[in-house]
Amino acid sequence: MVGRAVFGAAPTSTAVLWMDGIIAAVGAGKDLAGRLPTGAPVVEVPTALITPGFVDAHTHFAQWALKRRQVDLTGAGTREEAVRRVAGGHPSQGWVLGQGWDANDWSEPPTRAALDAVQPAAPVFLDSLDVHAAWVNSTALSRAGLSSETPDPPGGRIVRDAAGDPTGLLLERAVDLVRRAVPEAPSDLLEEALLLGQQEAHRLGVTGIHDMEELRVLEAFRRLEATDRLALRVLFHPPVAELAGLIARGVRSGTGSAWITHGGVKLFLDGSLGSQTAWMLEPYEGSRDRGMPLTSREDAAGAVRLAAEQGISATVHAIGDAAVRRALDILEPLPRVGLPHRIEHFQCVHPDDLDRAGRAGLVLSMQPAHLLVDIPLAERHWGRRGRGAYAFRTLAARGSRLVFGSDAPVAPLDPRPGVFAAMERRAPGSRGDAAWYASERLPFDAVVRACTEAPAAAAGWTPRIGALRPGAAADLVAWEVDPAVHAGAGDGFLHARVLLTVVNGAIVFQG
C-alpha cells in the first residue's frame, strides 16, 4: 500500500509517503508527488499538522475501557450530585460500579449511608478520581466481610466513625478488601471493551500505550493479536506480585511480539496527592500527617534487585518527595537490563534530588494533565514544595528522560489536555499570566517528543516507532490545529481535531 498525507500548517507543506506500512519518504509535498506510483491511494489533509502517532506512557487501558460503561462521577461538585448519578446506575454482574469522584471540595464526606439511601440492595463500589480510594455502601462492606473488627491492612486504611465502624471510605490497600469481591469482567466483555477502547484511542490520535495491569489483560491483548484485531502497540507492565511467575516463564523486559512488548514490574511506594496518601518528607501543610508509604524499603529494594538480576526492569510509582527519594535510592544501584528502569509520576521532588534521575539513566513517566487538577491541591497541601512539582523544564535541562502519558482512567486518554498543561501550566480558559511556576513550561516540539519518540524509545521500539523517518512504521496522526501552537500557544492544540490516524500504514480513523 502506498499513501500520502499533505499538511500546510508548517511554512511549507509536507508529505509522508509510505509503502507496505513503512515510511518511504518525508518531505515537501511538491517534491514527493512525483514519486507516487500511478493509481496509488492519496490522502490529502492540506490544513493539517502531521505528527508521529502518540504513545501514551502510562495507562490502565482495560480499566479505562471497562469504566466507560460505568457510572461516571467525574466533575460531580458535591456529594449530592454524585449520589444522584449513582441513583441512576444499573447493576453489572450484580454490582453498581462507578469512578471519578473527588471529594476534596465537597462540604460532606463520602459515606456508606449516603449510598444506602439510593442503592440499598445492590453492592456499590466507586473508585475515586485518582484510584487511590474507594467509596462503598453497606451492602458492599457486608459482601466483602468488612466490619468494625476488620483490621487495617498493611499500606491501607479503613476510615471509621466515632464508634469504630467503617464509614464506607477506603484508602490505598484497604480498597482491595472490597475490590476482590467485585466479579471480574468475563473474557468476552473484556475483549469487547478493549476493541472499543482501541477505536476511541485511534480517534484521539493514540497509536501506542504503556499499560499497567494484571496479566489477564495481557492475555486479552494477545487474543486480539492472534486474531489480527490488535492495532495498538502495547508495552505491558504487570504488578510486582507476578514477579515469581514471570521469572519462572523466562520473561525478559524488551522481548515480545510484533505488537506487544514485555515491560517492567510495577510496584507502589506511596499513594496520591488527591487522597493525601502521597508520602512526604515533611507533613502536609497544617497537618502532622506525612502520607503513607506502601512498601518497605527492604521489600521494594529486594523486589527490584531480584527483577533486574533476571532481566526485568522496575516500574516504580512515587508521587511524594519521600517516595521519590526512596525510588531513586533503590533504582540507582540496579544493573541495566533490556529496558530502562523508570519512576511513574515523579510529582513532588526535593531540590536535592532533581538531577539524580538523569545521572542514573532512569525514565521519568509523568502525566501533565494531572497538573490541571493538582495545582490547587499542591498549593493547599504542599505549599512552597510545589516548586519541585511537575518540574518539566528543569528535569529536561538536567538530562532526565521524560515520557508523558495520561494515567487513564484517572485522566482522559485524550492527549490534548496533557499537551496544553505541559505548555501552559494553567487552567484552560484562564489568563496566560496565570501559569503555575511558568518557568517550567515546555515548548510544543519538546512536548510532542515526550508523547511520541521518547515513550517509543522507553519501550525499545525506536527507530521503528516514534518518529517520521524513512524506514519507520507508518504510525502517524494528522491534526487540524491552529498554527499558533508553534509560537508557544498551547490553546492551539487543546482544541485540535484529529483528521486522520494511521497505524502500520493502515488508516484506522478518518474524521
Side-chain angles (χ1 to χ4, degrees):
M1 175 183 178
V2 179
R4 182 182 71 171
V6 181
F7 66 100
T12 59
S13 65
T14 303
V16 179
L17 174 68
W18 68 87
M19 182 177 296
D20 297 327
I22 303 299
I23 295 175
V26 179
K30 60 182 178 61
D31 296 332
L32 295 190
R35 298 180 56 175
L36 282 169
T38 303
V42 174
V43 181
E44 294 199 29
V45 280
T47 60
L49 166 70
I50 192 166
T51 69
F54 273 49
V55 178
D56 190 313
H58 188 118
T59 72
H60 309 273
F61 193 81
Q63 191 179 133
W64 165 77
L66 288 166
K67 286 188 173 181
R68 296 176 72 215
R69 302 164 174 263
Q70 299 176 5
V71 178
D72 185 5
L73 301 176
T74 307
T78 64
R79 188 181 76 176
E80 181 183 10
E81 170 61 22
V83 168
R84 185 161 51 245
R85 297 186 196 181
V86 174
H90 299 288
S92 173
Q93 297 178 269
W95 287 65
V96 175
L97 304 176
Q99 48 79 32
W101 61 270
D102 181 359
N104 277 288
D105 292 321
W106 291 359
S107 60
E108 300 172 295
T111 64
R112 58 188 171 93
L115 297 178
D116 293 345
V118 295
Q119 291 284 0
V124 178
F125 181 93
L126 309 171
D127 266 318
S128 65
L129 180 65
D130 60 14
V131 202
H132 285 262
W135 180 16
V136 301
N137 69 350
S138 296
T139 306
L141 290 169
S142 176
R143 189 75 60 90
L146 267 67
S147 69
S148 59
E149 305 301 318
T150 307
D152 287 347
R157 184 183 307 155
I158 302 169
V159 178
R160 305 170 194 270
D161 60 22
D165 294 320
T167 65
L169 179 60
L170 308 168
L171 302 178
E172 299 301 339
R173 288 186 176 145
V175 173
D176 295 332
L177 299 177
V178 176
R179 193 192 301 277
R180 66 192 182 198
V182 179
E184 287 186 338
S187 295
D188 58 344
L189 179 61
L190 176 57
E191 290 179 26
E192 179 186 349
L194 290 178
L195 286 171
L196 291 174
Q198 175 178 265
Q199 186 178 55
E200 178 68 2
H202 292 157
R203 189 185 70 83
L204 296 170
V206 176
T207 61
I209 58 172
H210 297 185
D211 198 36
M212 312 201 181
E213 297 187 278
E214 294 73 27
L215 287 178
R216 70 185 302 262
V217 177
L218 174 61
E219 295 307 316
F221 277 126
R222 284 176 171 160
R223 290 193 296 273
L224 297 184
E225 181 182 28
T227 51
D228 295 323
R229 292 180 292 166
L230 185 60
L232 194 66
R233 305 190 190 277
V234 179
L235 175 70
F236 199 85
H237 300 278
V240 70
E242 303 286 354
L243 179 57
L246 297 171
I247 293 172
R249 292 193 297 276
V251 171
R252 299 290 183 269
S253 294
T255 64
S257 61
W259 291 94
I260 302 170
T261 303
H262 292 293
V265 288
K266 169 82 179 293
L267 70 155
F268 288 82
L269 293 185
D270 70 340
S272 72
L273 170 59
S275 296
Q276 286 86 68
T277 51
W279 184 33
M280 306 300 296
L281 292 168
E282 299 295 335
Y284 286 82
E285 298 291 302
S287 169
R288 291 183 293 180
D289 188 6
R290 295 196 300 131
M292 187 181 298
L294 300 185
T295 308
S296 71
R297 181 188 178 97
E298 294 74 20
D299 288 347
V304 299
R305 169 64 64 177
L306 175 60
E309 289 171 349
Q310 299 297 322
I312 301 174
S313 59
T315 301
V316 177
H317 168 116
I319 288 181
D321 52 12
V324 165
R325 179 166 293 178
R326 175 162 292 174
L328 292 166
D329 288 345
I330 66 175
L331 295 181
E332 282 175 326
L334 294 182
R336 304 291 175 93
V337 297
L339 293 180
H341 306 295
R342 49 194 282 171
I343 301 176
E344 304 300 314
H345 309 303
F346 207 76
Q347 280 185 13
C348 188
V349 186
H350 191 279
D352 293 348
D353 297 327
L354 281 169
D355 62 351
R356 292 175 63 186
R359 292 198 309 263
L362 303 176
V363 166
L364 302 182
S365 172
M366 304 180 75
Q367 299 76 46
H370 288 349
L371 184 149
L372 302 176
V373 175
D374 282 353
I375 290 174
L377 296 180
E379 288 286 291
R380 184 187 312 167
H381 298 301
W382 289 346
R384 294 182 179 178
R385 287 171 289 184
R387 178 65 186 86
Y390 298 99
F392 303 134
R393 186 180 287 268
T394 296
L395 291 168
R398 299 189 184 192
S400 297
R401 303 171 63 180
L402 299 183
V403 299
F404 288 163
S406 66
D407 202 9
V410 178
L413 190 76
D414 185 348
R416 294 173 300 176
V419 172
F420 172 84
M423 292 180 66
E424 298 290 342
R425 299 179 69 90
R426 59 182 173 85
S430 63
R431 294 179 356 196
D433 60 3
W436 191 61
Y437 298 111
S439 62
E440 294 295 348
R441 293 179 296 189
L442 284 177
F444 177 69
D445 290 346
V447 177
V448 170
R449 282 195 300 273
C451 296
T452 56
E453 192 166 12
W461 296 339
T462 52
R464 187 173 61 92
I465 307 295
L468 302 178
R469 61 168 71 94
D475 290 8
L476 55 93
V477 185
W479 306 84
E480 187 177 54
V481 63
D482 184 343
V485 72
H486 287 292
D491 300 80
F493 197 79
L494 182 62
H495 304 294
R497 184 168 67 94
V498 174
L499 300 175
L500 182 76
T501 303
V502 177
V503 178
N504 218 42
I507 296 173
V508 294
F509 173 78
Q510 191 164 6

